[in-house]
Amino acid sequence: MGGEVKPGRAGLKSWAQRHLNSGFVVGFFLVLFTYLVVSRQFAISAPNAVVTTQAQQRIVDRKVIRTPEGTEGEEKSEQEWQPKVRDEEEPHKDTRGAVPAKELPERDYADGKPFAETWGKVVCNTHGPYSDTCELDGDVRINGTALSVTLVPSIQSERREWKVPPYPRKHMLGIDDVTVTQLGSPPKDAAAPACTVTHDVPAVLFALGGLTGNYWHDFSDVLVPLFAASRRYAGDVVFLVANIQPWWLGKYEAAVRRLSKHDAVDLGRDRAVRCFRHVTVGLQLHKELSIVPEWAPGGRLTMADFTAFLREAYALPRAVAAPVVEKRRKPRVMVIHRAHYRRFVNVQEVARAAEAAGFEAVVTDPRGDGPLDELARAVNSFDALLGVHGAGLTNAVFLPARAVVIQVVPYGKLEPMARTDFGEPVADMGLKYLEYSVAAEESTLLEMLGPDHPVIKDPESVHRSGWDKVAEFYLGKQDVRINVTRFAPTLEQAMQHLRKQRQQ
Ligand SMILES: *[C@@H]1O[C@H](CO)[C@@H](O)[C@H](O)[C@H]1NC(C)=O
Ligand SMILES: *[C@@H]1O[C@H](CO)[C@@H](O)[C@H](O)[C@H]1NC(C)=O
């Protein structure tokens, strides 16, 4: 009996319910992990041990709220499920040396050996900023319920073992490590488990759960790394999913199906021993919500390739913002109006300022908890996205190329984090990134706390005190009242960028 799950089945509704209930808690995850990284980069000293404990505590809280449900997969017989053997274009069929050395970047090779020499080997990369991954080529056998991936070597070798977290951020509660073993040469090592299913296509093994459910993490942690890992296979790859979340596969079905035309395997319920010739264990998170082109296995991939891929997957009509044929149409800006915190207090005034700058402005709260294809199409009809730092800006992935994203950074020295989460990703997507930093006078924290409070007077000291106060005040208790006079030049810059394109 297999544990395959068709995306698009259960859980959309329950996901929405869970998401709405836990939105507040989940929201802080958007920033916590990058905050930790950014803190290190910018030497904002945070007592690490304490921060870690807090992080884990939040994860515990979140798990309680987001207990998976309805995770039953649809079962099919092995016979019915097995992918058809394809004779044409089977890069992993006749194995040794068949795949050129450039297919994997050098940094993926522990000892820098070219690909042909790695046949029958496990090559693990444990140096990534967030994640460990292993690539296995040769006779690979997978016992899903045991989360064990075993390589039977074709050459004389020593037994080696790695523990690989299948989610691209380490130390996630609820996500077990995968044990990757390179067996030693017999007779020292026992025989590997016998194959019950043999696949002619490669596999990518990864976990769901973790921080998914937050729209930004859905992309940064899973969709983008999964794209980087599997795009080279043009759909002919099997996804082996640990800690499976059917709602997630349902929500992102169009994208997942375009990366893999085969049904995903629910490893936790899979009683088969599946055999492959090439397996990637774990996902590489290169950088937040982006791709480092040289690190993509199988050749250069960029974030612009990812957004082009989404436009294909969701059949989005506009590839490029404000094309010349639409000269008489005003560029449209989507003003993201968050529901809870980090809201625009004067959202209508902001919208009017955008119209005064020449835009057609639409105020909306696109949180990504409705059908994604509708949201994607809606966002794609805009030329600019304007919002306060938050998950809604993730929608930039659906904008046409060369559109503009304006991130409003709340008060409190949040720029490094804001740039890591959205500024760099947006630029990597080939979009124009503009940033507007809110002054103390535009923050509701000023009237709430008064000018002498350290939160207003000395944001650095708040950062030094650790994540808790940063999250509580700057992210959790702050709304912004934009001074539209001060903001006008930013809107003007956005308009100029779009005009320039129109004249081309
Ligand atoms: C897979 O591993 C589990 C746990 O170690 C074991 O009980 C099971 O027999 C293994 N399955 C096969 C088919 O070897
Ligand atoms: C708004 O910004 C303008 C330009 O920076 C400034 O002159 C004005 O005093 C600000 N208004 C308020 C109410 O702070």
Side-chain angles (χ1 to χ4, degrees), residues 142-148 192-194 196 270-274:
I142 299 181
N143 177 333
T145 44
L147 279 182
S148 81
T196 60
D270 189 31
R271 278 176 234 136
V273 171
R274 295 181 186 274

Side-chain angles (χ1 to χ4, degrees), residues 164-192:
V164 181
Y167 189 85
R169 295 178 203 267
K170 298 174 192 177
H171 314 305
M172 290 276 123
L173 284 193
I175 298 193
D176 296 325
D177 285 350
V178 176
T179 305
V180 174
T181 308
Q182 177 176 306
L183 289 183
S185 312
K188 266 193 279 174
D189 253 331

Side-chain angles (χ1 to χ4, degrees), residues 148-170:
S148 81
V149 177
T150 306
L151 182 102
V152 184
S154 56
I155 48 170
Q156 196 73 15
S157 58
E158 301 259 302
R159 182 191 174 89
R160 294 183 69 189
E161 195 176 291
W162 297 261
K163 295 283 185 190
V164 181
Y167 189 85
R169 295 178 203 267
K170 298 174 192 177

Side-chain angles (χ1 to χ4, degrees), residues 436 441-442 482-487 489:
Y436 179 80
E441 293 72 37
E442 295 170 283
I482 299 294
N483 173 344
V484 293
T485 313
R486 188 169 173 263
F487 186 48

Side-chain angles (χ1 to χ4, degrees), residues 34 216 220 224 287-291 302-304 306-307 393-394 396-397 405 407 416-433:
T34 35
W216 181 85
S220 186
V224 173
K287 62 191 265 208
E288 298 294 357
L289 192 59
S290 193
I291 299 171
T302 65
M303 215 26 207
F306 176 74
T307 55
L393 287 173
T394 311
V397 296
V405 174
Q407 176 170 217
M417 191 170 67
R419 276 168 210 159
T420 304
D421 287 353
F422 294 108
E424 291 185 31
V426 157
D428 291 349
M429 290 172 208
L431 305 177
K432 173 76 173 174
Y433 174 68

Side-chain angles (χ1 to χ4, degrees), residues 86 127 309 359 475:
R86 288 158 47 98
H127 307 301
F309 158 79
F359 284 99
L475 299 170

Side-chain angles (χ1 to χ4, degrees), residues 153-418:
S154 56
I155 48 170
Q156 196 73 15
S157 58
E158 301 259 302
R159 182 191 174 89
R160 294 183 69 189
E161 195 176 291
W162 297 261
K163 295 283 185 190
V164 181
Y167 189 85
R169 295 178 203 267
K170 298 174 192 177
H171 314 305
M172 290 276 123
L173 284 193
I175 298 193
D176 296 325
D177 285 350
V178 176
T179 305
V180 174
T181 308
Q182 177 176 306
L183 289 183
S185 312
K188 266 193 279 174
D189 253 331
C195 303
T196 60
V197 184
T198 301
H199 296 267
D200 281 326
V201 295
V204 175
L205 190 164
F206 64 97
L208 290 173
L211 302 178
T212 59
N214 173 294
Y215 192 44
W216 181 85
H217 280 291
D218 287 345
F219 282 84
S220 186
D221 295 11
V222 185
L223 280 171
V224 173
L226 189 59
F227 170 80
S230 63
R231 182 59 163 166
R232 57 182 154 158
Y233 300 128
D236 244 340
V237 56
V238 176
F239 291 156
L240 308 173
V241 189
N243 193 28
I244 201 162
Q245 312 288 320
W247 68 263
W248 194 95
L249 293 173
K251 180 174 164 76
Y252 296 102
E253 178 176 15
V256 171
R257 272 295 184 196
R258 205 162 178 94
L259 290 174
S260 165
K261 62 188 178 207
H262 304 286
D263 290 348
V265 174
D266 174 357
L267 281 185
R269 295 158 49 85
D270 189 31
R271 278 176 234 136
V273 171
R274 295 181 186 274
C275 294
F276 297 90
R277 293 201 185 89
H278 186 92
V279 176
T280 304
V281 179
L283 296 175
Q284 274 290 341
L285 203 173
H286 299 172
K287 62 191 265 208
E288 298 294 357
L289 192 59
S290 193
I291 299 171
V292 175
E294 313 68 74
W295 291 0
R300 237 182 109 81
L301 280 177
T302 65
M303 215 26 207
D305 294 326
F306 176 74
T307 55
F309 158 79
L310 288 181
R311 286 196 289 271
E312 259 170 57
Y314 290 93
L316 304 182
R318 300 177 71 223
V320 180
V324 178
V325 286
E326 290 178 79
K327 241 176 193 160
R328 300 181 57 190
R329 174 182 160 279
K330 277 188 183 176
R332 305 177 76 222
V333 60
M334 177 185 270
V335 182
I336 299 174
H337 190 38
R338 292 170 55 90
H340 299 302
Y341 40 91
R342 281 173 273 144
R343 302 168 66 244
F344 286 119
V345 175
N346 56 339
V347 69
Q348 293 308 329
E349 201 184 347
V350 171
R352 280 197 301 276
E355 304 223 305
F359 284 99
E360 179 193 334
V362 176
V363 177
T364 173
D365 179 16
R367 274 181 302 168
D369 40 14
L372 196 63
D373 50 345
E374 283 174 27
L375 178 60
R377 266 195 299 278
V379 174
N380 185 251
S381 72
F382 286 85
D383 306 284
L385 202 57
L386 160 61
V388 184
H389 177 80
L393 287 173
T394 311
N395 284 305
V397 296
F398 299 122
L399 286 173
R402 299 160 82 195
V404 183
V405 174
I406 305 174
Q407 176 170 217
V408 173
V409 183
Y411 183 72
K413 294 248 183 296
L414 301 179
E415 285 78 6
M417 191 170 67

